Amino acid sequence: MSDKETRTYDVIVLGAGPVGENVADRTRAAGLSTVIVESELVGGECSYWACEPSKALLRPGLLYREAAGFPGVASAVTGPLDASAVLAHRDRMVSDWDDQGQVDWLNSAKIELLRGHGRLDGPRRVAVRTPDGDTVHLTARHAVAVCTGTTAALPDLPGLAEVRPWTSREATSAHRVPGRLAILGAGVVATEMAAAWQALGAQVTLIARQSRLLGRVESFAADLVAERLRAAGVEFRFGTTIAAAARPGGPEGEIRLTLADGSDLVADELLLATGRAPRTAAAGLDTVGLTPGEWLAVDDSYTVTGVDGDWLYAVGDVNHRALLTHQGKYQARIAGAVIAARAAGQSLDTARWGRHTGTADLEAVPQVVFTDPEVTAVGLTTEDAARAGREVHVVDYEIGQVAGASQYDPDYRGRARVLIDPSRQVIVGATFAGRGVAELLHSATIAVTGEVPIDRLWHAVPSFPTISEVWLRLLETYRDQRHSS
């Protein structure tokens, strides 16, 4: 290829993760020629280093603990998890980090793939540095969509380069179980990886500046997760952080950590689960008047603000609205429809295109934390409501009192909470913590997003005996609260 080669498409998509794939699928289905640029694996972070491998590591441990505590089954659990088998299962789930299946899908959808690092090179232009060192110049007739996601945000820690810490990528792709694993962080990655690696045989110590886990969920749910992690053997160092780190014995030696509270810790590996940063530092943002390395601000059609012409879009984690794969794919469906409409000369006025305006990634974001117990939430938490000054009625119910839960686990521990707007009589937030509650989340999402009136929810009858009967118990509890007030 020549550095002077130029190709023209209707749409250029930077990043072939789930978000970029969905944007490209929608624009190609609308008849627009589309090229997708990817420097790593087609399928992106979620497929190879996040959602898929992390759940493959977590599920065996969750099943093991469930079976070990169930009458008639516990006696059959005679040994520890087979870590080698779990890691092999993880490898199968990520296709051994081979993206040929995803490439085949792109071909079937008639989406062209260009491998290499793509960066903006002015309005509607992208320069791609290919693996063989050449540069291909791309021009878009209608749109460029930046779907480059995020990368691990690392703290400014003395000795970090020599320590060679894990990020979420190494934590989900490691091929051996460390004897001692230190984790810095208290969010979803930290708690899920603590659960996974402790179950696989590591001694995990979690270090957090905060005083609790999972600061964005209801405190009762975070407390249940911490209780189970402690019972599994995870140690906690709350209210402190790492002041210095060293690996004096070289790449294979132990890591010596000095904490801010003056204590010390020795580990074989260190996972830094300290947040995410936008993957935009080398995206050429300066060529269109934006600042490299920053999040891309967008409107509700995912058009980048601050760039004239309605041609530049930022979809998925890179716009910082909701850093979740399912929300990024939701955004991609809307962005693809908007790009297609504008290419066809159609107006995006609210009357016609309101259904293609992104709202769910701001108002009703569903999320599951796949720990033991699972934590699921959508909409507001009590802390969210307090910060916003919104009046809500808080309704709690112990899930273990539901017949379906006792069938699931004789000693079931978990809680459900819904927040009800008293003036509109609709649910504005829901949180469930307990085994098997992930499948309750979509019903909660529909209730919140659809603003289903409480009086109407009485007619959504849950099956018996299932955990979903907790919905009926929550409504009954709310009725009793109202009658007693």
Side-chain angles (χ1 to χ4, degrees):
M1 293 183 184
S2 167
D3 280 2
K4 296 181 179 180
E5 182 179 355
T6 301
R7 307 178 192 174
T8 300
Y9 299 87
D10 292 324
V11 180
I12 302 168
V13 179
L14 298 180
V19 174
E21 288 177 322
N22 273 266
V23 172
D25 186 38
R26 291 303 170 107
T27 57
R28 189 66 193 90
L32 302 176
S33 61
T34 302
V35 62
I36 193 164
V37 180
E38 178 55 59
S39 61
E40 295 185 301
L41 295 177
V42 176
E45 199 80 12
C46 178
S47 298
Y48 303 103
W49 299 287
C51 319
E52 295 287 353
S54 66
K55 305 314 166 279
L57 291 173
L58 280 160
R59 184 60 179 155
L62 297 175
L63 284 172
Y64 182 92
R65 285 189 289 275
E66 184 177 341
F70 206 90
V73 181
S75 59
V77 181
T78 58
L81 281 178
D82 184 340
S84 296
V86 172
L87 296 178
H89 165 66
R90 184 272 319 273
D91 293 351
R92 288 192 297 273
M93 291 297 291
V94 298
S95 302
D96 292 304
W97 292 275
D98 184 331
D99 65 359
Q100 188 56 52
Q102 295 295 101
V103 173
D104 291 343
W105 176 83
L106 289 180
N107 292 334
S108 71
K110 296 182 171 55
I111 300 166
E112 187 169 333
L113 170 65
L114 179 57
R115 292 194 184 270
H117 174 73
R119 64 188 310 275
L120 294 169
D121 192 30
R124 292 186 172 84
R125 297 198 307 271
V126 170
V128 181
R129 194 68 172 174
T130 66
D132 58 11
D134 291 332
T135 300
V136 178
H137 298 278
L138 307 178
T139 300
R141 296 185 185 93
H142 299 294
V144 176
V146 179
C147 309
T148 50
T150 61
T151 188
L154 301 181
D156 184 13
L157 180 64
L160 193 62
E162 293 75 19
V163 168
R164 297 188 306 115
W166 283 4
T167 66
S168 56
R169 283 198 170 194
E170 289 78 19
T172 57
S173 63
H175 282 90
R176 66 175 183 84
V177 179
R180 298 160 296 181
L181 173 62
I183 300 177
L184 179 63
V188 175
V189 171
T191 52
E192 288 191 347
M193 290 298 94
W197 287 106
Q198 183 74 29
L200 288 171
Q203 173 54 59
V204 175
T205 302
L206 191 146
I207 306 159
R209 198 184 293 273
Q210 304 93 319
S211 60
R212 52 164 277 198
L213 299 178
L214 301 169
R216 295 183 180 181
V217 307
E218 297 280 8
S219 60
F220 74 81
D223 290 344
L224 281 170
V225 173
E227 179 184 307
R228 288 288 180 86
L229 286 175
R230 280 196 181 94
V234 174
E235 298 179 5
F236 292 100
R237 303 281 187 94
F238 285 125
T240 190
T241 189
I242 298 174
R247 201 189 283 260
E252 301 303 319
E254 64 184 21
I255 298 172
R256 297 178 183 175
L257 303 173
T258 301
L259 305 189
D261 62 7
S263 63
D264 297 318
L265 182 66
V266 177
D268 298 297
E269 298 292 351
L270 167 65
L271 165 58
L272 298 178
T274 48
R276 307 294 294 178
R279 198 186 295 270
T280 60
L285 299 187
D286 54 309
T287 69
V288 294
L290 300 175
T291 303
E294 293 194 350
W295 303 99
L296 293 175
V298 297
D299 62 19
D300 288 342
S301 69
Y302 307 107
T303 307
V304 175
T305 58
V307 175
D308 294 333
D310 292 339
W311 62 272
L312 184 60
Y313 297 78
V315 193
D317 288 5
V318 74
N319 63 36
H320 206 230
R321 283 168 67 113
L323 276 65
L324 296 161
T325 297
H326 48 279
Q327 293 297 142
K329 292 165 73 172
Y330 160 81
Q331 294 179 7
R333 294 190 290 271
I334 293 173
V338 169
I339 292 169
R342 284 176 169 157
Q346 297 174 359
S347 171
L348 299 189
D349 61 276
T350 303
R352 180 169 185 177
W353 287 96
R355 67 185 185 279
H356 292 310
T357 298
T359 58
D361 54 351
L362 296 176
E363 298 172 1
V365 179
Q367 182 175 13
V368 182
V369 184
F370 291 90
T371 46
D372 180 17
E374 291 175 341
V375 176
T376 69
V378 62
L380 299 177
T381 65
T382 50
E383 289 185 0
D384 293 334
R387 280 193 297 267
R390 294 185 60 172
E391 181 185 2
V392 293
H393 289 169
V394 178
V395 184
D396 288 339
Y397 195 83
E398 295 298 322
I399 301 176
Q401 297 178 27
V402 174
S406 61
Q407 295 287 345
Y408 198 95
D409 181 346
D411 298 314
Y412 194 102
R413 292 199 61 213
R415 186 190 298 182
R417 171 174 290 179
V418 294
L419 307 183
I420 297 175
D421 183 320
S423 61
R424 293 188 296 137
Q425 286 295 292
V426 297
I427 294 173
V428 294
T431 298
F432 304 93
R435 285 180 175 169
V437 298
E439 300 306 330
L440 294 176
L441 184 57
H442 194 57
S443 57
T445 302
I446 292 171
V448 173
T449 304
E451 300 180 326
V452 182
I454 295 297
D455 285 347
R456 190 62 194 158
L457 281 178
W458 279 101
H459 299 281
V461 182
S463 297
F464 180 88
T466 66
I467 295 177
S468 62
E469 198 182 8
V470 74
W471 278 107
L472 177 59
R473 303 301 170 224
L474 287 164
L475 294 176
E476 291 173 340
T477 302
Y478 180 54
R479 176 200 60 197
D480 295 343
Q481 286 177 354
R482 293 180 70 188
H483 289 168
S484 63
S485 62

